Amino acid sequence: MSTENEGTAVPPAPSAPPAPVDTPAASPQPAAPHPEQPPAQAPAAAPYEGHGPFAAHAPQQPAADGSGAPYGHTAPDASWPPPPPPGTPTYGGGGGGGQGGWGASYQPPAPKPGRGRGGLVAGLLIAALVAGGLGGGLGYTLAKNNDETGSTTVSASDTGGSLKRDAGTVAGVAAKALPSTVTIQAEGSNGEGGTGTGFVFDKQGHIVTNNHVVAEAVDGGKLSATFPDGKKYAAEVVGHAQGYDVAVIKLQNAPSDLNPLPLGDSDKVAVGDSTIAIGAPFGLSDTVTTGIISAKNRPVASSDGSGSNKASYMSALQTDASINPGNSGGPLLDAQGNVIGINSAIQSTSNGGFGTGQAGSIGLGFAIPVNQAEFVAKQLIKSGKPVYAKIGASVSLEETANGAKLTEQGVNGADPVESGGPAAAAGLKPGDVITKLDDRVIDSGPTLIGEIWTHKPGDKVTVTYERGGKERTTELTLGSKVGDD
């Protein structure tokens, strides 16, 4: 399935509360943010696209005009990470290099018509705000008329702030978590940018978010983070991981009273568990929505729709909590208020609303599991660069239901199975089709990549594969790849 985070700009409107007079020194408020770049499409029940932790390049799709260029994109190069596969989800949503690069060339399948993309792009929901104002006016008129009739009303015994909101309620979780979330505004050196969300990771002022939220500001851009109380801080990018779609930024002059959100265990999450998402959908900061975990281990490949050949891959938590453009990078919480994921991508019908042309939630949102995100964030804080697990082989990103095929050719003349690499040491050869990784069924190259990235370098995995029509198994120790290049 594929996802994206782009959309048509809408009339400017505030996406975050104004900063109070006593706000700490920070960079000037950027101009109205451009919609957040939509995430790439990712695989789920529908076809998806993605790249992997072990040399894999997406097949080059022939253009409709027969030019041979992939759907309006330039042909993928040998750099890491691999390009998104056809039909990737939108943002909401890697390792080999030289030897055993991300992918290998292969014969592209015939283009599939009519695949839509939806995106988690930052935007402003003007129509909804106007409707709210109208409702207020009608309410006043009705109340006034009611008074003139002399009717008697009855007041509730407990209202508003006098009600007790237990820690396990949605209101209780939101009250505790909101002060530790921020609305992020990123502006590139070209003046373009977008809005997303992030959450406090530690007391040192590190904020975790999506790579696609801050990508515009990586090279000479500007970043700011605004808390729900209106206090705004300038920030800088500490590190970012294109393949994982995770980034860490750090507040400048961070306050001493930061409260990091507690991190849960995404491996223990079950389908049906309650979820709470916090973000800035369409620029509406500090919005809380609820739902459940609707699926686990959903293979998703997503990209920002910019036309680059790189995509992000995840074995995602799927939720029906409402996630829209601007929710990207925000926390997905469990019923106790623990972070279980980072909202990253959505599947959408791509038929946008409110005249924006942007796609919105249809109940299919995807979050990066927090166990993976925590590992990536700590690596970024430590060295500024991501570390990816890899098998050291080129894999086809062609969409199939039969498994992940190791390609017969490598990238730019490199060996399809890296000499001396993990796959070679495990006895794998070009043409082998991997069907399972441990107990996880593998139906395609992007699925294999997403599953490998849930592991750490050095982990031992059992690989089930087919060769010559016979099923075999082997033990493989995952290697490592540092950086996105």
Side-chain angles (χ1 to χ4, degrees):
M1 139 177 33
S2 67
T3 57
E4 50 190 308
N5 64 331
E6 24 186 12
T8 305
V10 291
S15 62
V21 176
D22 62 347
T23 297
S27 59
Q29 178 81 21
H34 292 268
E36 171 186 47
Q37 281 292 52
Q41 305 173 340
Y48 55 87
E49 317 177 85
H51 49 262
F54 45 86
H57 270 291
Q60 183 172 352
Q61 306 276 353
D65 61 3
S67 64
Y71 288 92
H73 296 1
T74 57
D77 57 26
S79 63
W80 186 98
T88 305
T90 328
Y91 282 131
Q99 298 262 34
W102 279 91
S105 59
Y106 56 85
Q107 287 298 101
K112 300 179 181 180
R115 176 168 297 153
R117 298 189 304 176
L120 275 189
V121 187
L124 305 176
L125 192 50
I126 304 303
L129 298 178
V130 173
L134 176 62
L138 291 175
Y140 172 78
T141 302
L142 293 175
K144 181 174 182 297
N145 292 341
N146 191 45
D147 287 344
E148 292 175 350
T149 63
S151 63
T152 302
T153 59
V154 178
S155 299
S157 58
D158 289 312
T159 62
S162 64
L163 289 173
K164 181 180 179 180
R165 294 179 172 87
D166 296 330
T169 63
V170 173
V173 169
K176 186 175 180 179
L178 274 169
S180 296
T181 62
V182 295
T183 297
I184 298 172
Q185 291 183 328
E187 181 181 334
S189 56
N190 59 0
E192 296 185 358
T195 300
T197 308
F199 63 91
V200 177
F201 186 69
D202 59 26
K203 290 184 174 294
Q204 287 68 48
H206 291 110
I207 304 293
V208 171
T209 185
N210 281 143
N211 172 72
H212 73 262
V213 169
V214 303
E216 289 284 352
V218 168
D219 297 318
K222 296 179 181 179
L223 275 178
S224 66
T226 304
F227 285 86
D229 62 4
K231 292 184 178 180
K232 181 178 179 180
Y233 299 84
E236 59 183 359
V237 177
V238 172
H240 60 105
Q242 166 74 42
Y244 291 123
D245 196 22
V246 174
V248 175
I249 66 175
K250 188 174 184 180
L251 304 178
Q252 296 178 8
N253 301 314
S256 59
D257 59 349
L258 290 174
N259 290 310
L261 288 181
L263 306 183
D265 186 346
S266 50
D267 288 341
K268 295 182 179 179
V269 171
V271 172
D273 282 352
S274 297
T275 58
I276 300 169
I278 297 179
F282 295 100
L284 300 175
S285 301
D286 317 319
T287 294
V288 178
T289 56
T290 64
I292 62 168
I293 292 293
S294 49
K296 292 182 61 177
N297 306 309
R298 184 70 77 192
V300 173
S302 59
S303 69
D304 60 10
S306 64
S308 71
N309 291 316
K310 296 180 179 180
S312 303
Y313 295 82
M314 68 184 99
S315 183
L317 295 176
Q318 181 179 311
T319 180
D320 65 349
S322 183
I323 296 175
N324 285 288
N327 276 102
S328 289
L332 183 68
L333 309 171
D334 63 16
Q336 286 70 48
N338 303 312
V339 180
I340 54 175
I342 300 177
N343 300 318
S344 182
I346 59 172
Q347 179 69 22
S348 175
T349 56
S350 298
N351 59 354
F354 302 103
T356 67
Q358 291 182 358
S361 173
I362 57 171
L364 292 173
F366 306 99
I368 302 165
V370 73
N371 290 8
Q372 178 181 13
E374 179 183 11
F375 167 74
V376 177
K378 288 181 176 179
Q379 285 289 337
L380 294 176
I381 293 172
K382 179 180 179 181
S383 66
K385 294 184 178 181
V387 177
Y388 298 88
K390 71 168 187 175
I391 65 170
S394 297
V395 62
S396 170
L397 297 184
E398 185 175 359
E399 293 176 15
T400 70
N402 302 319
K405 182 179 181 180
L406 303 188
T407 58
E408 301 284 354
Q409 290 184 317
V411 177
N412 294 333
D415 293 334
V417 175
E418 179 184 336
S419 178
L428 294 174
K429 298 180 180 180
D432 288 346
V433 178
I434 297 176
T435 57
K436 290 180 69 175
L437 190 74
D438 289 334
D439 60 351
R440 190 81 65 230
V441 174
I442 303 299
D443 59 7
S444 67
T447 301
L448 177 60
I449 293 171
E451 284 301 323
I452 287 177
W453 282 355
T454 65
H455 293 77
K456 300 178 179 63
D459 283 356
K460 296 182 184 298
V461 295
T462 299
V463 176
T464 303
Y465 65 100
E466 293 181 357
R467 179 188 298 168
K470 295 182 179 180
E471 184 175 274
R472 311 180 184 205
T473 61
T474 184
E475 298 297 315
L476 184 150
T477 301
L478 296 171
S480 65
K481 164 71 174 67
V482 178
D484 282 319
D485 297 327

